Amino acid sequence: MHLVDATLPFTPVYSTYHHEYLGYLMTAHVVQILPSGELSFVHQGLYPHNIAEFSQELDEDDKELVKLISEMTPKAIVKKFGGDPRNELEFFSGKFEGQAKKLITNFIQRRMARILPLCKGKELFEMGNDGYPAKQKITMLDDQATALFHFRKKENFTRYYPTVKLNGEIVKFQKNGAALLCLEPAWMLLDHELFTFKKHVDGKKLRPFLRKDFIAIPKEKEEEYYRKFITQIIEKYDVYAKGFEIKTLRYEPEFILKVKEYDASSFSFLREVKYGQHCIPLESEGKVKAIMEKNGEEYRFFRIERKCKQENEMLDFFEQYTPNKNSLSPWEYIQKDKALSWFSEHADSIREKGVTIIQENPSYQISLDIPQIELKTQESGDWFDIKAIVRIGTFEIPFIKFRGHILKGNREYKLPDGSIAILPEHWFSDYRHLLEVSEVNDADGESLKIKKYQAPLLNFPSQGNNGHSKMLDSIKNTEGIPEVPAPRGLKAKLRNYQEAGYNWLHFMKAHNMGGILADDMGLGKTLQTLSLLLKEQEDGIDTPSLIVLPTSLIPNWANEAKKFTPSLKIFTHTGINRPKDVGKFAGYDIILTTYGLVRQDIKLLATFPFNYIILDESQNIKNPESKTAKAVRKLVSKHRLSLSGTPIENTVMDIWSQMSFLNPGLLGSDNFFKKFYVQPIEKNFDTKQSAKLSRIIYPYILRRRKHQVEKELPPRIEKLHYCEMTDEQKDFYEDTRSSYRNYLMDLISQGAWKKNKLNILAGLQKLRQIAIHPRIIEPEKFELENSGKYLEVKRLLKQIIGKKRSKVLIFSQFVKVLTLLRNDLDKEGIKYNYLDGGTKDRQTPVDTFQNDKDIKVFLISLKAGGVGLNLTAADYVFILDPWWNPAVENQAIDRSHRIGQTRTVFYYKFITRDSIEEKILNLQRKKAKLSDDIIQVDEEVYKSLEASDLEDLLK
């Protein structure tokens, strides 16, 4: 064969030929054109690898044709389906059968369906037996043929055959050499003419008649054949029948949703459309639906012309309500609880759309009436009486009858007529807490009652407040709380927000509610509390109040009381010589003691009925199982109050512990609270439960930020200061990290990580120390210069010391870090003050730092500097190592950024890159959001870390 010269005239040619195994295929060639304009015998195969050589005569359709044809050559087929292209015969004789044959045939048909339409206007031929591609010209007709399928029912058989018409003339294709080049859709080659069909006729329906005139269906197979085959033909094609009736129906559609209980654990929702008396699945395809009916020996077919536009609109409507979107069967076999929840929520909307709902299980009928609750409350002394009626259709049922269902999470309630009412999903959120803590009213046995301070449980967003309590309305706005004159003997002028806080404390007392004064550090919680107690004294209350606080704060409270409320008599219940007789409290207004001594002396202290019990830094009782928390709950008083800048330090459970002291029973049992609030909020990030808890505790927490109440306070400028490790530091860090990570992975694989958790936590602690300075771990091996962070701290510290008025607070959790700096500053002759947990005299270093202009640096351990310090002389704060809980850091920062500060405070948090410190920042953001979500605004957070958290920290 001579190659075609691309510099001389040529043309692309497409040929069809029949392959012994694969059926009709196509080839692509270029053929040289003679000077006369005729095609020569010089031709060459056209493939993707040589197409560029002839591109001047090829358009985009040609390029696509060459690509598609090359994919279906016998060699390409053998290679694609796992054979050896060098031995085609072995593949086709041995492997071309069963599923492989089906896959290959479908593959070829899909390509032929794309190839033939592209051949329009091209040179199309039948290939000769000698391989010449332009043997016989094929004319592709513009007109499309029609097919009519004939069925003639006889006594013992049914005869079936098609007729084909082209331009109104019958085409005699049976036993006349016709060929089907493609089946879906059908392309027929007859007398060198190629044409396709209207309605995209399936060639498999015509193929049997290429060599026979008709097919006879015997009587014994008649019914099955009619039901499975003739109905399909009627739906898709034109049919002429004798011996049975085909009736075309044209109705407006009616839409139906069928509810079907398959078993005790699942439901299905069947979407159907009804035309006349006939129902068909809404999601079924086709513009026409055929249905067969048989009456004796008579058959009748109904040909339903569907209103596709209306059906599609209804499908779109249903799509927005799909009950199980991620399932392969989104409307069927849906888990019962999920199905009932979906049905209850959407049944009304579906009915409003005009859809008829039919329940197929007579023994389990779901009421379509949505339960409506009418809830009324009435104040009765220290209680609220709750009278509630539920209306479901014509039934009126006392709400208390649903208590067991709601507490157990059972949404199905059997009505007197036997039908099942589905309780609204929001009931289990709105009323679960109320029903958990309420008591049955003995007066009638059909109503409930709660304590007055539990009134926020009646605040249901789905219903509004319904006027349950004027108290709720007034407490939402502190400006609406009645004003109380400041005590006459107060030696201070309360700021506006402090007056509001003082009024709020009186409001809580008037309603017998315990509250948390949760103002930011430095806003004067101590002053507001002392003002309250002074007012109590001036109003004639002579019963002492007990203030429980950390040991370090006792001097602060004593000094504040002496300064602002000198008429209050203070007794300090501390020391080994403290009295063992509560009678000694008589004649005093305030008893100061510590959390540790409450634990030790609880049997003694619990015998005295105090006026107020006030917990300062009340996060000390955040663990409800601790001896401290259990002890303070045993104390007896008329009123209770807590003070804390961080009511939530670690977990939502912190607030339960404090509320169980302030308002017992408000938040239910600890198990209920964990299940209903802690787990959804902390594990599932449930914003609805977070908002619900916030609404409930809102009246009992007064929280003011510095930026809200003190406009004159200068801003705080925060900066994350990233530091790179030195090479020696990085190598040491990576070796340690890899060792502990491998250890953790081994423990996880053995299921033993919890038992060895303390070892892993020790590893985290070691990584934190290395990120600051490896010298902390290996003092003999590393020099001061072997820490990128330490070098950065020293560089910035030198700049600050060089400024005239600037001072800096330097915080670290690790005393060893502060010792490194301390020794370094000593060598350089730089004056500084120092404070850690072992410092007994805290006030002297604070005073000298505040007043001595030569002392520029204050080194403080993070925990020791968290409370009781006023260091407004500083305008820079360095946090050398991020702590797990941002609240602890914020307390440290607030030592300088508080009332009395006149300058902007610059706050630097030093973070070592590519270390565990960056992971801790993510934990901090998580904890900060948790607190803000609940309080509207952690110590030992690492103890609650899961395996996944540990793995992330060691990455």
Side-chain angles (χ1 to χ4, degrees):
M1 179 183 70
H2 299 288
L3 295 177
V4 173
D5 188 344
T7 64
L8 299 175
F10 67 89
T11 185
V13 165
Y14 302 96
S15 310
T16 181
Y17 73 98
H18 189 269
H19 186 273
E20 179 182 2
Y21 294 97
L22 300 177
Y24 285 96
L25 301 177
M26 300 291 294
T27 65
H29 288 78
V30 285
V31 179
Q32 204 84 64
I33 300 176
L34 297 171
S36 63
E38 296 179 344
L39 297 180
S40 74
F41 287 103
V42 178
H43 60 277
Q44 181 177 342
L46 194 56
Y47 303 99
H49 68 265
N50 68 352
I51 195 171
E53 184 180 349
F54 305 101
S55 60
Q56 68 268 27
E57 292 297 331
L58 306 178
D59 59 20
E60 291 303 315
D61 284 349
D62 289 310
K63 294 175 184 178
E64 180 67 13
L65 280 166
V66 171
K67 174 180 174 295
L68 292 171
I69 289 171
S70 69
E71 292 173 354
M72 52 182 278
T73 64
K75 277 188 175 4
I77 292 293
V78 172
K79 184 177 180 180
K80 180 176 180 63
F81 289 90
D84 183 355
R86 296 169 298 182
N87 198 336
E88 293 178 32
L89 182 59
E90 179 184 342
F91 177 83
F92 288 118
S93 62
K95 297 183 179 180
F96 190 65
E97 59 185 5
Q99 186 65 19
K101 180 177 181 180
K102 183 178 180 181
L103 289 172
I104 293 170
T105 301
N106 289 339
F107 177 82
I108 291 172
Q109 286 298 308
R110 287 195 300 271
R111 270 145 186 77
M112 289 295 286
R114 292 168 63 186
I115 287 169
L116 293 175
L118 291 174
C119 289
K120 189 173 180 62
K122 305 295 183 184
E123 294 286 344
L124 191 58
F125 291 87
E126 296 177 50
M127 179 178 279
N129 292 333
D130 57 358
Y132 180 58
K135 179 71 173 179
Q136 177 63 55
K137 176 78 172 176
I138 295 176
T139 302
M140 183 178 284
L141 303 180
D142 292 329
D143 295 319
Q144 293 181 330
T146 59
L148 178 66
F149 293 89
H150 300 257
F151 294 93
R152 294 188 178 181
K153 185 177 184 302
K154 301 289 187 179
E155 184 176 350
N156 296 318
F157 64 90
T158 297
R159 180 176 291 179
Y160 156 55
Y161 63 92
T163 57
V164 174
K165 282 188 176 183
L166 189 62
N167 294 324
E169 299 291 330
I170 292 179
V171 177
K172 296 182 179 180
F173 71 95
Q174 286 106 329
K175 298 187 293 187
N176 203 19
L180 287 166
L181 302 191
C182 182
L183 298 177
E184 295 184 38
W187 284 81
M188 183 175 283
L189 179 63
L190 179 63
D191 295 332
H192 315 305
E193 291 182 332
L194 182 64
F195 56 87
T196 188
F197 292 79
K198 296 177 182 178
K199 294 190 177 182
H200 289 277
V201 172
D202 182 356
K204 290 193 288 291
K205 302 291 190 297
L206 299 175
R207 185 166 55 186
F209 303 99
L210 296 179
R211 290 172 176 77
K212 61 175 68 174
D213 292 325
F214 61 86
I215 293 175
I217 312 304
K219 182 76 172 177
E220 60 269 18
K221 296 184 179 179
E222 180 181 83
E223 183 174 349
E224 182 183 6
Y225 186 81
Y226 276 37
R227 190 178 303 280
K228 290 184 177 180
F229 184 78
I230 296 181
T231 52
Q232 292 182 15
I233 297 295
I234 292 173
E235 287 177 354
K236 295 181 179 179
Y237 309 115
D238 296 325
V239 174
Y240 177 76
K242 281 188 176 182
F244 58 85
E245 179 185 6
I246 300 175
K247 185 177 182 180
T248 298
L249 303 179
R250 297 181 179 90
Y251 290 102
E252 285 299 310
E254 299 176 46
F255 297 100
I256 295 169
L257 180 71
K258 288 183 178 177
V259 183
K260 185 172 183 179
E261 183 187 20
Y262 274 103
D263 51 42
S265 61
S266 67
F267 276 77
S268 288
F269 300 97
L270 309 178
R271 298 166 298 164
E272 296 184 349
V273 58
K274 186 178 181 182
Y275 291 94
Q277 300 301 312
H278 304 284
C279 287
I280 57 178
L282 182 59
E283 63 271 22
S284 60
E285 297 179 354
K287 295 180 180 180
V288 173
K289 181 68 177 178
I291 296 175
M292 185 195 85
E293 286 186 359
K294 183 183 180 186
N295 186 8
E297 295 298 315
E298 299 296 323
Y299 292 93
R300 182 165 60 162
F301 290 86
F302 297 97
R303 185 178 179 276
I304 302 170
E305 294 187 352
R306 302 171 69 174
K307 302 284 187 176
C308 294
K309 182 180 179 182
Q310 290 172 251
E311 289 191 31
N312 288 333
E313 287 174 353
M314 185 57 69
L315 278 173
D316 290 340
F317 166 78
F318 274 120
E319 183 66 25
Q320 63 184 313
Y321 297 117
T322 304
N324 200 5
K325 291 188 177 182
N326 297 323
S327 170
L328 294 175
S329 53
W331 289 85
E332 296 185 83
Y333 310 108
I334 299 164
Q335 193 269 336
K336 184 177 182 180
D337 287 346
K338 186 173 184 179
L340 294 178
S341 177
W342 178 89
F343 187 65
S344 174
E345 182 178 356
H346 301 300
D348 261 12
S349 299
I350 291 171
R351 286 195 296 178
E352 287 173 8
K353 185 67 175 177
V355 178
T356 301
I357 295 177
I358 297 175
Q359 301 188 55
E360 292 199 332
N361 302 88
S363 62
Y364 190 94
Q365 288 291 301
I366 301 172
S367 171
L368 299 182
D369 294 308
I370 296 179
Q372 303 290 337
I373 186 170
E374 181 181 309
L375 188 148
K376 295 179 180 178
T377 62
Q378 183 176 353
E379 294 186 36
S380 177
D382 290 335
W383 297 84
F384 274 111
D385 291 333
I386 306 168
K387 299 183 185 296
I389 292 293
V390 175
R391 292 185 174 84
I392 307 175
T394 59
F395 301 110
E396 289 190 357
I397 305 166
F399 181 54
I400 198 171
K401 300 289 187 185
F402 297 87
R403 187 179 193 181
H405 283 66
I406 293 174
L407 292 180
K408 294 176 182 177
N410 181 8
R411 298 193 62 186
E412 302 171 60
Y413 185 87
K414 192 170 185 178
L415 295 172
D417 65 356
S419 63
I420 304 298
I422 307 302
L423 305 187
E425 189 173 15
H426 71 85
W427 281 20
F428 296 82
S429 175
D430 283 356
Y431 306 127
R432 174 73 169 82
H433 192 154
L434 173 66
L435 294 174
E436 178 74 24
V437 302
S438 60
E439 300 177 25
V440 178
N441 196 329
D442 294 332
D444 56 19
E446 291 194 347
S447 61
L448 300 167
K449 64 178 183 178
I450 58 173
K451 295 174 183 176
K452 238 180 182 180
Y453 62 68
Q454 295 171 319
L457 298 177
L458 302 174
N459 188 6
F460 309 118
S462 58
Q463 293 188 3
N465 188 19
N466 287 342
H468 295 315
S469 172
K470 292 180 181 179
M471 181 184 72
L472 280 178
D473 295 328
S474 62
I475 206 167
K476 288 179 181 178
N477 182 4
T478 53
E479 294 178 2
I481 291 176
E483 293 185 8
V484 178
R488 296 182 301 277
L490 183 65
K491 304 302 182 182
K493 171 65 176 172
L494 296 178
R495 297 170 184 264
N496 290 337
Y497 74 88
Q498 291 172 334
E499 287 182 349
Y502 168 75
N503 292 333
W504 180 80
L505 293 175
H506 279 281
F507 182 85
M508 300 301 284
K509 170 193 168 185
H511 289 89
N512 292 317
M513 297 188 301
I516 303 177
L517 184 57
D519 289 341
D520 272 354
M521 288 290 180
L523 294 188
K525 293 190 290 293
T526 304
L527 177 58
Q528 294 171 69
T529 306
L530 288 171
S531 300
L532 169 73
L533 296 180
L534 181 57
K535 181 63 174 173
E536 291 284 279
Q537 182 208 58
E538 292 180 358
D539 286 346
I541 305 298
D542 58 4
T543 304
S545 294
L546 178 70
I547 302 179
V548 187
L549 60 162
T551 305
S552 61
L553 294 187
I554 286 183
N556 182 63
W557 270 86
N559 291 337
E560 295 277 291
K562 183 177 180 181
K563 180 179 179 181
F564 298 121
T565 57
S567 65
L568 290 176
K569 296 178 181 178
I570 310 295
F571 179 84
T572 303
H573 182 71
T574 59
I576 58 174
N577 296 320
R578 62 188 182 277
K580 303 300 181 182
D581 178 9
V582 292
K584 298 291 185 179
F585 295 164
Y588 290 96
D589 299 300
I590 297 176
I591 311 299
L592 296 178
T593 194
T594 68
Y595 286 101
L597 291 180
V598 168
R599 288 197 306 270
Q600 293 180 38
D601 297 351
I602 187 58
K603 290 183 178 180
L604 173 72
L605 296 175
T607 63
F608 191 90
F610 295 98
N611 178 34
Y612 264 95
I613 295 173
I614 300 171
L615 305 183
D616 193 11
E617 300 296 338
S618 61
Q619 66 271 16
N620 278 277
I621 65 163
K622 65 187 177 185
N623 179 1
E625 297 302 316
S626 68
K627 291 181 179 179
T628 300
K630 291 177 179 179
V632 297
R633 290 200 293 267
K634 293 177 181 178
L635 296 172
V636 179
S637 67
K638 191 173 182 181
H639 308 292
R640 294 188 173 192
L641 174 64
S642 290
L643 311 177
S644 176
T646 54
I648 294 181
E649 277 199 332
N650 181 21
T651 168
V652 181
M653 202 64 198
D654 296 357
I655 206 67
W656 182 90
S657 185
Q658 295 181 68
M659 282 298 165
S660 68
F661 161 73
L662 294 167
N663 302 298
L666 174 68
L667 297 181
S669 68
D670 57 346
N671 288 332
F672 160 75
F673 188 78
K674 287 175 185 175
K675 183 177 180 180
F676 196 62
Y677 290 110
V678 178
Q679 291 177 8
I681 292 171
E682 296 188 1
K683 300 294 184 185
N684 304 325
F685 307 103
D686 189 328
T687 55
K688 288 184 178 179
Q689 286 304 90
S690 179
K692 179 178 177 63
L693 178 57
S694 180
R695 287 193 303 271
I696 291 171
I697 66 175
Y698 174 84
Y700 311 107
I701 301 177
L702 183 60
R703 174 77 154 158
R704 274 86 58 87
R705 303 282 193 181
K706 282 201 288 283
H707 66 81
Q708 294 173 300
V709 298
E710 284 296 336
K711 302 302 181 184
E712 71 271 19
L713 188 67
R716 181 173 87 184
I717 297 176
E718 301 182 4
K719 177 178 175 60
L720 284 177
H721 194 82
Y722 286 96
C723 311
E724 300 291 342
M725 292 191 225
T726 65
D727 292 340
E728 297 87 347
Q729 182 183 18
K730 193 166 191 177
D731 290 341
F732 187 34
Y733 182 92
E734 286 302 317
D735 288 342
T736 307
R737 183 194 63 80
S738 297
S739 174
Y740 277 98
R741 179 171 172 77
N742 293 338
Y743 176 54
L744 174 63
M745 294 300 99
D746 289 339
L747 292 176
I748 291 174
S749 66
Q750 298 167 23
W753 74 272
K754 288 187 177 179
K755 294 180 181 178
N756 295 275
K757 190 174 181 181
L758 289 177
N759 293 337
I760 298 298
L761 297 177
L764 298 183
Q765 194 83 322
K766 185 178 288 188
L767 289 176
R768 294 183 65 217
Q769 292 172 327
I770 296 172
I772 305 167
H773 206 307
R775 191 179 173 89
I776 302 171
I777 306 297
E778 296 275 3
E780 303 299 325
K781 184 177 179 181
F782 295 95
E783 302 296 330
L784 281 177
E785 295 75 24
N786 289 142
S787 165
K789 179 182 289 191
Y790 190 87
L791 293 175
E792 275 299 287
V793 170
K794 285 298 298 294
R795 183 180 68 83
L796 293 175
L797 184 58
K798 187 176 180 180
Q799 295 177 18
I800 295 170
I801 292 172
K803 294 183 178 182
K804 235 181 184 183
R805 295 178 56 210
S806 290
K807 294 194 175 195
V808 59
L809 306 179
I810 301 180
F811 290 94
S812 175
Q813 181 210 346
F814 302 104
V815 172
K816 287 184 179 180
V817 175
L818 298 177
T819 302
L820 285 179
L821 266 173
R822 193 176 184 180
N823 295 335
D824 211 4
L825 293 175
D826 284 337
K827 287 179 183 178
E828 295 181 23
I830 297 171
K831 289 186 177 182
Y832 63 91
N833 278 353
Y834 179 89
L835 189 153
D836 64 22
T839 305
K840 297 200 181 296
D841 180 6
R842 295 159 55 94
Q843 197 59 45
T844 299
V846 169
D847 291 342
T848 56
F849 181 81
Q850 286 288 94
N851 301 311
D852 189 341
K853 63 181 181 180
D854 293 327
I855 298 177
K856 301 275 191 173
V857 181
F858 203 153
L859 304 176
I860 311 172
S861 68
L862 190 60
K863 294 306 296 295
V867 293
L869 302 180
N870 188 332
L871 296 165
T872 54
D875 54 348
Y876 285 87
V877 178
F878 286 4
I879 303 291
L880 299 193
D881 41 283
W883 184 228
W884 304 98
N885 177 13
V888 175
E889 288 182 7
N890 289 332
Q891 282 191 332
I893 295 161
D894 280 337
R895 300 307 96 219
S896 65
H897 193 255
R898 61 196 296 136
I899 303 305
Q901 177 61 266
T902 59
R903 290 181 291 167
T904 300
V905 178
F906 293 88
Y907 153 46
Y908 286 78
K909 184 189 286 189
F910 292 84
I911 302 296
T912 300
R913 285 194 185 278
D914 301 320
S915 77
I916 190 174
E917 292 183 346
E918 289 187 300
K919 310 289 194 334
I920 292 174
L921 285 182
N922 293 328
L923 272 179
Q924 285 189 338
R925 295 184 187 106
K926 181 178 176 182
K927 294 298 174 186
K929 183 179 186 307
L930 176 65
S931 179
D932 287 343
D933 283 350
I934 304 302
I935 302 299
Q936 311 292 352
V937 198
D938 229 3
E939 170 108 31
E940 296 184 347
V941 177
Y942 59 87
K943 287 186 179 178
S944 63
L945 296 177
E946 296 296 330
S948 58
D949 297 319
L950 295 171
E951 189 176 349
D952 287 339
L953 288 167
L954 290 170
K955 279 183 179 177

